[in-house]
Amino acid sequence: TQLLEQSPQFLSIQEGENLTVYCNSSSVFSSLQWYRQEPGEGPVLLVTVVTGGEVKKLKRLTFQFGDARKDSSLHITAAQPGDTGLYLCAGAGRGSTLGRLYFGRGTQLTVWP
Amino acid sequence: DTGVSQNPRHKITKRGQNVTFRCDPISEHNRLYWYRQTLGQGPEFLTYFQNEAQLEKSRLLSDRFSAERPKGSFSTLEIQRTEQGDSAMYLCASSYTGEAYEQYFGPGTRLTVT
């Protein structure tokens, strides 16, 4: 059972375009993380959001945590070829599962020059 | 480099053989996690340690899998009698206890069972 659903699964765009990817769940998480992963490498942490409604910006990337802490979005402005990669969202467990992260399947982004 | 390191990066083995992977976490982190990732999927939690204590194991971790962190520093993950279905990327991550959700991953070990 996939606790986190990411959409779209694949996204192919031209350099300079804007895009948004979504991460949705029916479960509440204590925090939500976004990672980017290159082929053959481990995920690299981009951001953590903790508070419902929180918005964080990282240069051209804007991350938002839903008010109910069940969903999140990642918006990229003026995408560049260097943004190409697999974007993963991960929710942190609560209570007895506090130690684990639950990952979505990811959005594979390709930005063409 | 003070990031998480994993060895080996790649391992090819024949079905039925045993394999062992090593993870060295970020030195100040007392929590260490193991995940498995197959093609087209996000990482799936296997187990985690706080210092040398193994605090949680996923149902994915069958009896053929064992993980240790004997001195609370590096960890090993052993798979006995490997099966083709064990082929995957095995990822290690580490974190502080107080910020357990901020997990930093190593580059992974790619296992191929032939």
Side-chain angles (χ1 to χ4, degrees):
Chain A
T1 304
Q2 204 77 24
L3 279 185
L4 286 165
E5 297 291 336
Q6 290 190 242
S7 61
Q9 189 176 353
F10 298 96
L11 192 53
S12 182
I13 62 171
Q14 291 292 130
E15 182 176 4
E17 292 184 20
N18 301 334
L19 67 114
T20 302
V21 299
Y22 300 93
C23 175
N24 295 297
S25 177
S26 58
S27 300
V28 176
F29 294 100
S30 58
S31 67
L32 198 138
Q33 282 65 242
W34 284 92
Y35 289 84
R36 190 174 90 184
Q37 187 176 26
E38 305 279 351
E41 299 292 332
V44 175
L45 181 63
L46 297 175
V47 79
T48 296
V49 284
V50 178
T51 306
E54 183 176 4
V55 176
K56 281 192 174 179
K57 291 191 175 183
L58 187 67
K59 296 183 180 178
R60 293 175 295 100
L61 279 60
T62 302
F63 305 86
Q64 184 161 8
F65 201 12
D67 290 340
R69 292 188 293 148
K70 292 182 179 181
D71 55 85
S72 181
S73 63
L74 159 59
H75 182 80
I76 301 179
T77 303
Q80 299 177 0
D83 295 327
T84 293
L86 179 68
Y87 288 83
L88 293 160
C89 67
R94 303 165 74 197
S96 63
T97 63
L98 186 60
R100 64 170 71 186
L101 291 179
Y102 295 90
F103 281 85
R105 288 183 177 173
T107 293
Q108 180 61 55
L109 172 65
T110 303
V111 183
W112 300 98
Chain B
D1 185 16
T2 57
V4 178
S5 62
Q6 292 187 246
N7 287 289
R9 292 293 310 276
H10 303 275
K11 179 71 177 178
I12 301 174
T13 191
K14 292 185 177 179
R15 189 176 55 186
Q17 298 293 306
N18 299 343
V19 293
T20 300
F21 310 139
R22 176 178 170 127
C23 171
D24 287 88
I26 293 171
S27 56
E28 314 89 78
H29 287 175
N30 58 350
R31 282 201 173 185
L32 187 148
Y33 310 81
W34 286 99
Y35 290 81
R36 181 173 70 185
Q37 186 177 23
T38 54
L39 199 62
Q41 302 291 325
E44 294 177 291
F45 172 82
L46 291 178
T47 188
Y48 86 93
F49 294 84
Q50 180 160 308
N51 300 315
E52 62 273 12
Q54 189 172 18
L55 296 188
E56 189 181 357
K57 290 195 292 186
S58 162
R59 283 173 291 179
L60 291 175
L61 213 65
S62 76
D63 291 345
R64 297 184 297 105
F65 288 69
S66 62
E68 294 183 343
R69 195 183 183 199
K71 297 182 179 179
S73 56
F74 73 91
S75 175
T76 58
L77 177 67
E78 181 183 16
I79 308 175
Q80 296 183 326
R81 305 180 302 282
T82 52
E83 301 173 356
Q84 287 188 321
D86 297 331
S87 295
M89 175 78 92
Y90 289 85
L91 295 162
C92 175
S94 68
S95 75
Y96 292 111
T97 299
E99 296 176 342
Y101 46 83
E102 291 212 336
Q103 298 179 18
Y104 295 86
F105 283 81
T109 295
R110 167 72 66 189
L111 173 66
T112 302
V113 182
T114 62

